[in-house]
Amino acid sequence: FRMKSRLAFARKQSDFMGKLISAINDLTNVERNGGVQSPIHYWIVSSCNGGTGSGVVNDVLYYVNMLHKTMVDAGHPKVSLILYMPKFYIDNNSENEKYPKNAYACLNEIETFQCLSKNPEKTMPYHRLAVRPDYVTFNDKHSYRPFEYCIPVDYQTDAGNVMGSIDNMYNNTAEML
Protein backbone atom coordinates (compact mmCIF):
# COMPACT_ATOMS: atom_id res chain seq x y z
CA PHE A 1 0.00 0.00 0.00
CA ARG A 2 2.87 2.38 0.72
CA MET A 3 4.30 2.04 -2.79
CA LYS A 4 0.86 2.62 -4.30
CA SER A 5 0.55 5.86 -2.36
CA ARG A 6 4.02 7.00 -3.50
CA LEU A 7 3.04 6.28 -7.11
CA ALA A 8 -0.20 8.23 -6.65
CA PHE A 9 1.74 11.10 -5.08
CA ALA A 10 4.19 11.07 -7.99
CA ARG A 11 1.28 11.36 -10.43
CA LYS A 12 -0.13 14.37 -8.55
CA GLN A 13 3.20 15.83 -7.45
CA SER A 14 2.94 18.86 -9.74
CA ASP A 15 -0.53 19.68 -8.33
CA PHE A 16 0.85 19.37 -4.79
CA MET A 17 3.83 21.58 -5.64
CA GLY A 18 1.57 24.20 -7.22
CA LYS A 19 -0.66 24.40 -4.15
CA LEU A 20 2.32 24.46 -1.79
CA ILE A 21 4.00 27.24 -3.80
CA SER A 22 0.74 29.23 -3.75
CA ALA A 23 0.37 28.77 0.01
CA ILE A 24 3.98 29.83 0.68
CA ASN A 25 3.49 32.90 -1.53
CA ASP A 26 0.28 33.80 0.33
CA LEU A 27 1.97 33.41 3.71
CA THR A 28 4.99 35.48 2.79
CA ASN A 29 2.73 38.19 1.31
CA VAL A 30 0.66 38.29 4.49
CA GLU A 31 3.87 38.77 6.46
CA ARG A 32 5.01 41.62 4.23
CA ASN A 33 1.60 43.30 4.07
CA GLY A 34 1.10 43.08 7.81
CA GLY A 35 4.53 44.51 8.45
CA VAL A 36 5.38 41.66 10.78
CA GLN A 37 8.26 39.36 10.00
CA SER A 38 7.46 36.01 11.53
CA PRO A 39 8.57 32.57 10.48
CA ILE A 40 6.24 30.26 8.62
CA HIS A 41 5.39 27.23 10.74
CA TYR A 42 4.52 24.16 8.68
CA TRP A 43 2.36 21.49 10.32
CA ILE A 44 2.40 18.09 8.61
CA VAL A 45 -0.26 15.68 9.90
CA SER A 46 0.12 12.06 8.90
CA SER A 47 -0.33 8.49 9.95
CA CYS A 48 2.42 5.91 10.13
CA ASN A 49 0.29 2.80 9.82
CA GLY A 50 -1.96 2.73 6.78
CA GLY A 51 -0.71 3.06 3.26
CA THR A 52 -1.42 6.60 2.14
CA GLY A 53 0.09 8.72 4.92
CA SER A 54 2.95 6.39 5.72
CA GLY A 55 3.84 6.18 2.05
CA VAL A 56 3.99 9.89 1.27
CA VAL A 57 5.01 11.55 4.54
CA ASN A 58 8.72 11.61 3.65
CA ASP A 59 8.02 13.05 0.21
CA VAL A 60 5.79 15.76 1.69
CA LEU A 61 8.41 16.64 4.32
CA TYR A 62 11.08 16.87 1.64
CA TYR A 63 9.09 19.13 -0.68
CA VAL A 64 8.01 21.44 2.15
CA ASN A 65 11.63 21.78 3.27
CA MET A 66 13.13 22.35 -0.13
CA LEU A 67 10.46 24.76 -1.36
CA HIS A 68 10.85 26.80 1.82
CA LYS A 69 14.61 26.94 1.32
CA THR A 70 14.14 27.90 -2.32
CA MET A 71 11.38 30.49 -1.85
CA VAL A 72 11.78 31.93 1.66
CA ASP A 73 15.29 31.46 3.02
CA ALA A 74 18.02 28.83 3.08
CA GLY A 75 17.70 28.14 6.81
CA HIS A 76 15.86 25.17 8.22
CA PRO A 77 12.10 25.78 8.11
CA LYS A 78 9.99 25.31 11.20
CA VAL A 79 8.33 21.97 10.39
CA SER A 80 6.32 20.04 12.95
CA LEU A 81 5.24 16.50 12.22
CA ILE A 82 2.07 15.27 13.91
CA LEU A 83 2.23 11.51 13.52
CA TYR A 84 -0.58 9.14 14.44
CA MET A 85 0.77 5.97 15.99
CA PRO A 86 -0.44 2.53 14.90
CA LYS A 87 -1.60 0.80 18.09
CA PHE A 88 -5.31 1.55 17.73
CA TYR A 89 -5.35 0.42 14.10
CA ILE A 90 -3.25 -2.69 14.76
CA ASP A 91 -5.49 -3.70 17.69
CA ASN A 92 -8.68 -3.21 15.65
CA ASN A 93 -7.36 -4.93 12.52
CA SER A 94 -5.30 -7.75 14.01
CA GLU A 95 -5.84 -9.97 10.98
CA ASN A 96 -4.29 -7.38 8.63
CA GLU A 97 -0.50 -7.45 8.62
CA LYS A 98 -0.12 -4.21 6.69
CA TYR A 99 -0.53 -1.94 9.74
CA PRO A 100 2.49 -3.11 11.76
CA LYS A 101 4.60 -3.48 8.60
CA ASN A 102 3.73 -0.02 7.33
CA ALA A 103 4.33 1.50 10.75
CA TYR A 104 7.74 -0.14 11.05
CA ALA A 105 8.80 0.95 7.55
CA CYS A 106 7.53 4.51 7.99
CA LEU A 107 9.15 5.04 11.39
CA ASN A 108 12.40 3.48 10.15
CA GLU A 109 12.51 5.84 7.15
CA ILE A 110 11.74 8.89 9.28
CA GLU A 111 14.48 7.95 11.74
CA THR A 112 16.96 7.36 8.90
CA PHE A 113 16.32 10.73 7.23
CA GLN A 114 16.45 12.53 10.58
CA CYS A 115 19.80 10.84 11.41
CA LEU A 116 21.22 11.59 7.95
CA SER A 117 20.28 15.25 8.40
CA LYS A 118 22.67 15.45 11.35
CA ASN A 119 25.62 14.44 9.18
CA PRO A 120 27.15 17.68 7.85
CA GLU A 121 29.60 15.77 5.63
CA LYS A 122 26.72 14.43 3.56
CA THR A 123 27.07 16.02 0.15
CA MET A 124 24.88 14.00 -2.20
CA PRO A 125 21.12 14.45 -2.22
CA TYR A 126 19.55 11.50 -0.47
CA HIS A 127 15.93 12.02 -1.29
CA ARG A 128 14.39 11.68 -4.70
CA LEU A 129 10.98 10.84 -6.06
CA ALA A 130 12.61 8.20 -8.22
CA VAL A 131 9.43 7.04 -9.91
CA ARG A 132 9.41 10.25 -11.95
CA PRO A 133 12.13 10.71 -14.55
CA ASP A 134 11.63 14.49 -14.34
CA TYR A 135 11.74 14.59 -10.55
CA VAL A 136 12.06 18.05 -9.07
CA THR A 137 15.63 18.89 -8.24
CA PHE A 138 16.64 21.47 -5.72
CA ASN A 139 19.95 23.02 -4.92
CA ASP A 140 21.88 20.06 -3.54
CA LYS A 141 23.84 22.42 -1.30
CA HIS A 142 20.70 22.85 0.80
CA SER A 143 20.83 20.63 3.82
CA TYR A 144 17.72 18.64 4.59
CA ARG A 145 16.27 18.19 8.06
CA PRO A 146 12.85 16.52 7.78
CA PHE A 147 11.31 18.27 10.79
CA GLU A 148 12.12 20.31 13.84
CA TYR A 149 10.08 18.10 16.10
CA CYS A 150 7.59 15.27 15.97
CA ILE A 151 4.49 14.92 18.12
CA PRO A 152 3.38 11.28 18.24
CA VAL A 153 -0.36 10.91 18.84
CA ASP A 154 -1.76 7.65 20.11
CA TYR A 155 -5.12 6.43 21.32
CA GLN A 156 -3.70 4.79 24.42
CA THR A 157 -0.81 5.60 26.74
CA ASP A 158 1.73 3.05 27.95
CA ALA A 159 -0.11 3.11 31.30
CA GLY A 160 -3.32 1.96 29.57
CA ASN A 161 -5.19 5.28 29.68
CA VAL A 162 -7.37 5.79 26.60
CA MET A 163 -8.95 8.86 25.05
CA GLY A 164 -12.38 7.27 25.05
CA SER A 165 -12.89 7.20 21.30
CA ILE A 166 -11.00 7.65 18.08
CA ASP A 167 -13.01 10.86 17.51
CA ASN A 168 -11.63 12.26 20.78
CA MET A 169 -8.12 11.55 19.53
CA TYR A 170 -8.80 13.50 16.33
CA ASN A 171 -10.54 16.33 18.22
CA ASN A 172 -7.63 16.62 20.66
CA THR A 173 -5.23 16.88 17.75
CA ALA A 174 -7.34 19.59 16.10
CA GLU A 175 -7.44 21.56 19.36
CA MET A 176 -3.67 21.27 19.72
CA LEU A 177 -3.13 22.67 16.22
Side-chain angles (χ1 to χ4, degrees), residues 3 31-32 36 38 44-45 54 74 95 107 133 142 158 176:
M3 184 48 79
E31 288 176 12
R32 286 188 201 120
V36 177
S38 59
I44 310 297
V45 180
S54 70
E95 71 289 344
L107 293 170
H142 287 315
D158 288 339
M176 177 187 63

Short mmCIF file of all heavy atoms in Angstrom, two decimals, residues 3 31-32 36 38 44-45 54 74 95 107 133 142 158 176:
data_model
loop_
_atom_site.label_atom_id
_atom_site.label_comp_id
_atom_site.label_asym_id
_atom_site.label_seq_id
_atom_site.Cartn_x
_atom_site.Cartn_y
_atom_site.Cartn_z
N MET A 3 3.78 1.75 -1.45
CA MET A 3 4.30 2.04 -2.79
C MET A 3 3.19 2.60 -3.68
O MET A 3 3.42 3.50 -4.48
CB MET A 3 4.93 0.81 -3.41
CG MET A 3 5.57 1.08 -4.76
SD MET A 3 6.65 2.53 -4.83
CE MET A 3 8.11 1.90 -4.09
N GLU A 31 2.83 38.24 5.56
CA GLU A 31 3.87 38.77 6.46
C GLU A 31 4.30 40.16 6.02
O GLU A 31 4.40 41.07 6.83
CB GLU A 31 5.08 37.84 6.47
CG GLU A 31 4.86 36.53 7.19
CD GLU A 31 6.07 35.62 7.09
OE1 GLU A 31 7.14 36.07 6.67
OE2 GLU A 31 5.91 34.45 7.42
N ARG A 32 4.54 40.32 4.73
CA ARG A 32 5.01 41.62 4.23
C ARG A 32 3.91 42.68 4.36
O ARG A 32 4.18 43.81 4.76
CB ARG A 32 5.44 41.49 2.78
CG ARG A 32 6.75 40.77 2.64
CD ARG A 32 7.26 40.82 1.20
NE ARG A 32 8.19 39.73 1.03
CZ ARG A 32 8.05 38.76 0.16
NH1 ARG A 32 7.02 38.73 -0.65
NH2 ARG A 32 8.93 37.80 0.07
N VAL A 36 4.80 42.48 9.72
CA VAL A 36 5.38 41.66 10.78
C VAL A 36 6.18 40.53 10.14
O VAL A 36 5.66 39.78 9.32
CB VAL A 36 4.28 41.06 11.70
CG1 VAL A 36 4.89 40.16 12.75
CG2 VAL A 36 3.46 42.16 12.32
N SER A 38 7.52 37.18 10.65
CA SER A 38 7.46 36.01 11.53
C SER A 38 7.68 34.77 10.68
O SER A 38 7.31 34.74 9.51
CB SER A 38 6.12 35.94 12.27
OG SER A 38 5.07 35.87 11.35
N ILE A 44 2.67 19.25 9.45
CA ILE A 44 2.40 18.09 8.61
C ILE A 44 1.71 17.06 9.50
O ILE A 44 2.26 16.65 10.52
CB ILE A 44 3.70 17.47 8.03
CG1 ILE A 44 4.59 18.54 7.39
CG2 ILE A 44 3.38 16.33 7.09
CD1 ILE A 44 4.01 19.25 6.22
N VAL A 45 0.51 16.66 9.14
CA VAL A 45 -0.26 15.68 9.90
C VAL A 45 -0.34 14.42 9.06
O VAL A 45 -0.77 14.46 7.91
CB VAL A 45 -1.67 16.19 10.25
CG1 VAL A 45 -2.44 15.15 11.04
CG2 VAL A 45 -1.58 17.51 11.02
N SER A 54 1.61 6.94 5.47
CA SER A 54 2.95 6.39 5.72
C SER A 54 3.78 6.33 4.45
O SER A 54 5.00 6.37 4.50
CB SER A 54 2.85 5.01 6.38
OG SER A 54 2.36 4.05 5.48
N ALA A 74 17.27 30.09 3.14
CA ALA A 74 18.02 28.83 3.08
C ALA A 74 18.13 28.14 4.43
O ALA A 74 18.65 27.03 4.52
CB ALA A 74 19.41 29.07 2.51
N GLU A 95 -6.03 -9.01 12.06
CA GLU A 95 -5.84 -9.97 10.98
C GLU A 95 -5.08 -9.37 9.79
O GLU A 95 -4.63 -10.08 8.90
CB GLU A 95 -7.19 -10.53 10.50
CG GLU A 95 -8.07 -9.57 9.71
CD GLU A 95 -8.71 -8.43 10.51
OE1 GLU A 95 -8.74 -8.52 11.75
OE2 GLU A 95 -9.17 -7.46 9.89
N LEU A 107 8.35 4.53 10.28
CA LEU A 107 9.15 5.04 11.39
C LEU A 107 10.65 4.84 11.13
O LEU A 107 11.47 5.70 11.47
CB LEU A 107 8.73 4.38 12.70
CG LEU A 107 7.33 4.74 13.17
CD1 LEU A 107 6.90 3.87 14.33
CD2 LEU A 107 7.23 6.21 13.53
N PRO A 133 10.87 10.40 -13.90
CA PRO A 133 12.13 10.71 -14.55
C PRO A 133 12.45 12.20 -14.51
O PRO A 133 13.60 12.60 -14.55
CB PRO A 133 11.93 10.24 -16.00
CG PRO A 133 10.46 10.15 -16.18
CD PRO A 133 9.86 9.89 -14.82
N HIS A 142 21.63 22.69 -0.32
CA HIS A 142 20.70 22.85 0.80
C HIS A 142 20.72 21.59 1.65
O HIS A 142 20.55 20.49 1.15
CB HIS A 142 19.26 23.06 0.32
CG HIS A 142 18.99 24.40 -0.28
ND1 HIS A 142 19.42 25.57 0.26
CD2 HIS A 142 18.31 24.75 -1.39
CE1 HIS A 142 19.03 26.58 -0.48
NE2 HIS A 142 18.34 26.11 -1.50
N ASP A 158 1.07 4.27 27.48
CA ASP A 158 1.73 3.05 27.95
C ASP A 158 1.10 2.56 29.26
O ASP A 158 1.13 1.37 29.57
CB ASP A 158 3.23 3.28 28.16
CG ASP A 158 3.98 3.42 26.85
OD1 ASP A 158 3.45 2.95 25.82
OD2 ASP A 158 5.08 3.99 26.86
N MET A 176 -5.08 20.98 19.53
CA MET A 176 -3.67 21.27 19.72
C MET A 176 -3.15 22.17 18.58
O MET A 176 -2.38 23.09 18.82
CB MET A 176 -2.86 19.98 19.76
CG MET A 176 -1.37 20.20 19.88
SD MET A 176 -0.42 18.70 19.73
CE MET A 176 -0.79 18.19 18.08
#
